[in-house]
Amino acid sequence: MPGVIVDCAIYREGRRTDCAADFSRALKAARAEGNSFLWLGMHEPTREEFDRVTSEFALHPLAVEDALKAHQRPKLEVYDDSLFMVLKPVTYDDRAETVTASELMVFVGDSFVVTVRHGEASPLAAVRRRLEEHPEILRHGPGAVLYAISDAVVDHYIEVAAELALDMEELEAEVFAPVRGRDTRNTAAQIYAFKREVMEFRRATGPLAEPMARLQNPGVPFVHDHARPFFRDVDDHLTRANESVDNLDRLLSDILSAHLAQMGVRQNDDMRKISAWAALAAVPTLIAGVYGMNFENMPELRWQWGYPGVLVVMILIEVSLYRLFKRRGWL
């Protein structure tokens, strides 16, 4: 399975030994030595490609089903011979302002770690390189790999949250900028789109809180007691990320409410202006309409200065109304 197996190595006392694709022999060697474990990395395997891994590592069929189908929530499942954890690494495209979540499944057993990733956003290569530079961490076995993967995923959550916060500040400045003539429909669409990205981010961070809480408590197999404080540190970082997501969601709701309120105020301003101009147009229309009626007995109908007098009255009323509306901010 050259296109499916991304990496395969035995770690003896934290030191790497390549095992190519013959993971069956490598797993037997790791179990026989006792101080070693196998780390097998795979990318989007099919059921047929994963059947051999399932039989060799004695993986639970329910966990295998989840690993193959993907589209899972972050979770932690404990089986007799293995530990199964689902993580959702995320990436943020600053130009497109989109959050993309991948999926990462981790099987942890007595002498093995099997990682299955779906999508392109994955910290596994960087995690493996960093661990290989620190063999003293790898000496602690498969639990150390699980911690390092979780730590890398959660730390990237904090980075993504910071990038989202910066873009939200730009969106907030745009909403409250005193610039008229902006397309308010486009602004509302941007707010809704940004809120959807925050919701996508929340789907990755929120459900992970429960697995992290379990990993820092006793009773979880394949995780030694000395590793629990490290998972507690990961849980602290995850709490920060979840708080950031909650703050982003709350601020976006406030920004949307403020934007809608601004639209209401602007509509009221527009209605006042329309009403003011309508009043200015109504006065001369009323006067002209009265004197345009075909009656013989009307006051000042035969007066020589009637026409210019009426025009002067119209102008005086119009100027007075204009100044009144201007003073009250209607124009």
Side-chain angles (χ1 to χ4, degrees), residues 147-172:
Y147 155 72
I149 294 174
S150 304
D151 185 57
V153 170
V154 172
D155 283 349
H156 193 60
Y157 287 164
I158 297 177
E159 297 175 6
V160 172
E163 294 178 358
L164 285 171
L166 289 176
D167 286 348
M168 194 202 65
E169 290 177 1
E170 296 177 0
L171 180 61
E172 185 178 14

Side-chain angles (χ1 to χ4, degrees), residues 5 14 18 49 65 68 81 95-96 154-155 168 177 219 243 245 267 288 292 305 307 328:
I5 296 179
D18 290 334
E49 293 168 334
E65 190 75 17
L68 293 175
D81 300 322
R95 290 186 177 181
V154 172
D155 283 349
M168 194 202 65
E243 288 176 351
V245 173
Q267 288 176 351
W305 299 101
Y307 177 70
R328 293 188 177 183

Side-chain angles (χ1 to χ4, degrees), residues 210-231:
E210 191 270 337
M212 284 295 112
R214 291 179 61 188
L215 285 171
Q216 58 184 298
N217 295 323
V220 180
F222 312 112
V223 177
H224 297 292
D225 291 337
H226 63 264
R228 304 194 193 284
F230 295 95
F231 284 107

